[in-house]
Amino acid sequence: MEFRAGQTVLRRCLYRSGRFAAVDTARVVADGPAGVLTWTGPGSQVVRRSTLDGEPVRKMPLAEREAIPTMLTPTVWRETSVLILTPPKAAHSVWWFFDAEGRFQGWYVNLEQPSRRWPDGLDTADHALDIWVEPDRTWEWKDEDEFAERTGHPEYWTAEQAAEIKAEALRIVPLIEAGAFPFDGTHTGFEPGPAWEPTRLPPHWDLPGRP
């Protein structure tokens, strides 16, 4: 299925069990051979997993998180804007971050399970490990501790799968260092349409999914 430009879609991150970890709303910029390009701006509705008191669990140690009940909490995207390219069949996505004034801040390579399309968006599973790339293309690993903590856990990935995830990241590093697409300056001057409003959750955002 192909998404149309301007359509609001969901980018849903699921655990292996099928539980939702996070849900973002986004506006489709383009959908073509390079993948789905979406935009999420400030005020766009998102859903995050939290404690019953509403505290985010994203950075909570795994053992602590598993010992307490959690829930999905609606909130909004704040401070930055993000353009996301999700290539077809790839185990990563590339994010262009912009500050509140629309200035390009850098790229973020999100390691994730190849996405699955459904009529309202994309479902994936996050692989924790990420790469942050400065505008001058210097780069660094992100969330290595979370990646190590989850390796071998039944809800996440095996040691063999962890090696595959790291290999996916290492295939991207030469593109970063060479300034090849998508790190060649494409989209760094992107501006959203003047009439674009923050995106909203559709009525059936929580239909069952699978990563």
Side-chain angles (χ1 to χ4, degrees), residues 98-169:
F98 300 84
D99 66 14
E101 283 70 47
R103 294 181 294 246
F104 176 63
Q105 294 182 302
W107 297 271
Y108 191 83
V109 181
N110 196 67
L111 280 299
E112 61 192 34
Q113 189 165 310
S115 62
R116 184 184 67 85
R117 292 188 182 222
W118 63 293
D120 283 338
L122 302 167
D123 284 356
T124 186
D126 186 59
H127 285 162
L129 187 65
D130 307 297
I131 303 173
W132 173 254
V133 186
E134 295 286 346
D136 65 2
R137 298 181 186 83
T138 55
W139 62 273
E140 63 177 332
W141 297 109
K142 301 291 290 184
D143 301 325
E144 291 177 282
D145 54 341
E146 294 180 32
F147 180 63
E149 182 183 43
R150 287 158 174 71
T151 298
H153 189 285
E155 186 73 83
Y156 297 96
W157 44 82
T158 65
E160 291 77 13
Q161 290 169 327
E164 295 173 4
I165 293 167
K166 190 67 174 285
E168 175 78 5

Side-chain angles (χ1 to χ4, degrees), residues 3-4 6-12 23-29 36-40 45 118-122 199-202:
F3 302 120
R4 66 183 186 279
Q7 177 182 352
T8 294
V9 294
L10 298 169
R11 207 171 186 281
R12 307 193 304 182
V23 179
D24 293 349
T25 62
R27 189 179 305 278
V28 175
V29 178
V36 184
L37 189 66
T38 63
W39 173 260
T40 297
Q45 291 181 336
W118 63 293
D120 283 338
L122 302 167
T199 44
R200 297 286 181 258
L201 287 165

Side-chain angles (χ1 to χ4, degrees), residues 9-14 20-25 45-49 72-73 75 77 201-202 205-206:
V9 294
L10 298 169
R11 207 171 186 281
R12 307 193 304 182
C13 180
L14 289 82
F20 292 109
V23 179
D24 293 349
T25 62
Q45 291 181 336
V46 300
V47 179
R48 297 289 183 264
R49 189 161 287 279
L72 295 173
T73 301
T75 182
W77 191 278
L201 287 165
W205 65 271
D206 58 348

Side-chain angles (χ1 to χ4, degrees), residues 25-78:
T25 62
R27 189 179 305 278
V28 175
V29 178
D31 186 6
V36 184
L37 189 66
T38 63
W39 173 260
T40 297
S44 294
Q45 291 181 336
V46 300
V47 179
R48 297 289 183 264
R49 189 161 287 279
S50 72
T51 68
L52 300 188
D53 294 325
E55 293 298 319
V57 301
R58 170 69 178 81
K59 295 294 184 179
M60 186 180 292
L62 190 58
E64 183 179 346
R65 184 191 307 183
E66 291 188 326
I68 60 172
T70 62
M71 65 181 182
L72 295 173
T73 301
T75 182
V76 297
W77 191 278
R78 293 183 173 88

